[in-house]
Amino acid sequence: QVQLAESGGGSVQSGGSLTLSCAASGFTYSSYSLTWFRQAPGKQREGVASIGADGSITYAGSVRGRFTIFVDNAKNTLILEMHTLSPEDTAIYYCAASQGVNSWTRFNPRAYKTWGQGTQVTVSS
């Protein structure tokens, strides 16, 4: 069974850092597009950072320079390092994986078939 499980969320003060992890079971990350999404209350789910199946990396403008996405291949775990957090980063963060995602759709939630359950990130001012 293909599953994703996030961990690492929590509460932090503005300017702080958190690292999120997304462990895969039932499949390996190679040949998959992997993306972190987030959803704040009352807002649509938005793409934050993505690794394409070809290894290319894309960041949303709002997090570029502050967030880093990478895969720990030894652990088959997707990582999102987040620094200089602000209250605007408060949201539930989800990891998602799918094959067949192209550069035009990598931040489109409907392009992804497999999702984690989400982990809450709260940043206080």
Side-chain angles (χ1 to χ4, degrees):
Q1 185 176 2
V2 174
Q3 289 184 322
L4 298 173
E6 302 97 338
S7 60
S11 297
V12 65
Q13 289 191 328
S14 184
S17 300
L18 282 173
T19 297
L20 305 183
S21 298
C22 175
S25 60
F27 72 108
T28 56
Y29 277 144
S30 61
S31 80
Y32 278 74
S33 292
L34 311 168
T35 298
W36 285 98
F37 289 86
R38 67 185 181 186
Q39 189 164 17
K43 295 187 177 181
Q44 290 187 336
R45 191 167 298 191
E46 63 174 355
V48 173
S50 178
I51 299 178
D54 61 357
S56 59
I57 293 177
T58 304
Y59 294 101
S62 60
V63 307
R64 190 175 295 118
R66 300 188 298 121
F67 290 12
T68 301
I69 185 173
F70 63 94
V71 175
D72 182 336
N73 288 307
K75 298 180 179 179
N76 205 35
T77 298
L78 179 68
I79 306 294
L80 184 68
E81 293 184 343
M82 306 184 294
H83 301 286
T84 320
L85 288 163
S86 71
E88 289 69 35
D89 296 313
T90 295
I92 299 175
Y93 284 69
Y94 301 88
C95 60
S98 193
Q99 294 178 308
V101 179
N102 59 41
S103 59
W104 298 102
T105 58
R106 68 173 50 179
F107 279 167
N108 183 345
R110 290 178 290 181
Y112 292 83
K113 297 179 181 179
T114 304
W115 291 82
Q117 80 286 355
T119 185
Q120 177 71 47
V121 171
T122 303
V123 185
S124 57
S125 57

